[in-house]
């Protein structure tokens, strides 16, 4: 990943966290990592733990951002979420998996939250 993509990705994650907080979510963790996977944002609202994958794009030349959250990526997120939920504080919580798409033209950001973007099979 090039420097411009990393910068856009980090800016997108920051924008997504601010967006969620503005919607009443409490951010529990950012860049939650286990050995083989990472979750961009773990948040909570109304007793539901929300695992959020953030995808930022400056254009849709390579498809919509959410399309990058393929089956393999979903499995990695689910794996990390299961470890996160082993914490006694969250063991009995409901959870869901969201994707937040960020579109940026270097001046403006557009945020689109896809709730329940995928489920555990």
């Amino acid at each position: 990943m090039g420097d411009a993509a990393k910068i856009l990705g980090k800016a997108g994650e920051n924008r997504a966290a601010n967006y969620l907080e503005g919607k009443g979510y409490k951010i529990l963790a950012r860049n939650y990592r286990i050995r083989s996977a990472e979750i961009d944002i773990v948040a909570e609202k109304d007793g539901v733990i929300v695992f959020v994958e953030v995808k930022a794009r400056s254009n849709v030349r390579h498809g919509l951002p959410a399309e990058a959250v393929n089956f393999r990526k979903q499995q990695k997120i689910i794996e990390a979420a299961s470890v996160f939920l082993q914490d006694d504080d969250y063991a009995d919580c409901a959870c869901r998996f969201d994707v937040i798409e960020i579109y940026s033209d270097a001046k403006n950001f557009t945020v689109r939250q896809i709730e329940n973007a995928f489920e555990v099979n």
Side-chain angles (χ1 to χ4, degrees):
M1 181 182 325
D3 289 341
K6 286 181 184 177
I7 291 168
L8 177 60
K10 185 51 73 180
E13 286 182 16
N14 290 336
R15 183 63 56 141
N18 291 338
Y19 171 86
L20 290 169
E21 288 175 329
K23 294 277 192 181
Y25 290 79
K26 177 182 176 189
I27 304 299
L28 302 176
R30 292 192 54 185
N31 304 113
Y32 177 79
R33 181 181 298 275
I34 63 171
R35 182 186 315 184
S36 60
E38 179 182 347
I39 299 172
D40 294 327
I41 299 172
V42 182
E44 182 274 329
K45 184 176 182 184
D46 300 328
V48 176
I49 304 298
V50 183
F51 299 98
V52 181
E53 177 68 9
V54 179
K55 289 296 179 188
R57 298 284 186 269
S58 58
N59 60 59
V60 293
R61 187 172 40 235
H62 299 292
L64 298 175
E67 292 172 348
V69 186
N70 59 27
F71 180 77
R72 184 172 183 273
K73 180 69 171 172
Q74 291 173 16
Q75 295 308 302
K76 294 289 188 181
I77 294 167
I78 290 166
E79 180 184 353
S82 69
V83 173
F84 184 90
L85 290 171
Q86 289 175 14
D87 184 306
D88 288 341
D89 292 339
Y90 308 115
D92 295 325
C93 291
C95 71
R96 72 170 197 252
F97 299 91
D98 291 4
V99 172
I100 292 186
E101 296 181 322
I102 305 285
Y103 299 94
S104 174
D105 63 5
K107 293 180 183 177
N108 301 301
F109 286 91
T110 302
V111 179
R112 178 175 171 247
Q113 181 177 6
I114 304 168
E115 294 184 6
N116 292 304
F118 59 92
E119 298 178 353
V120 176
N121 294 333

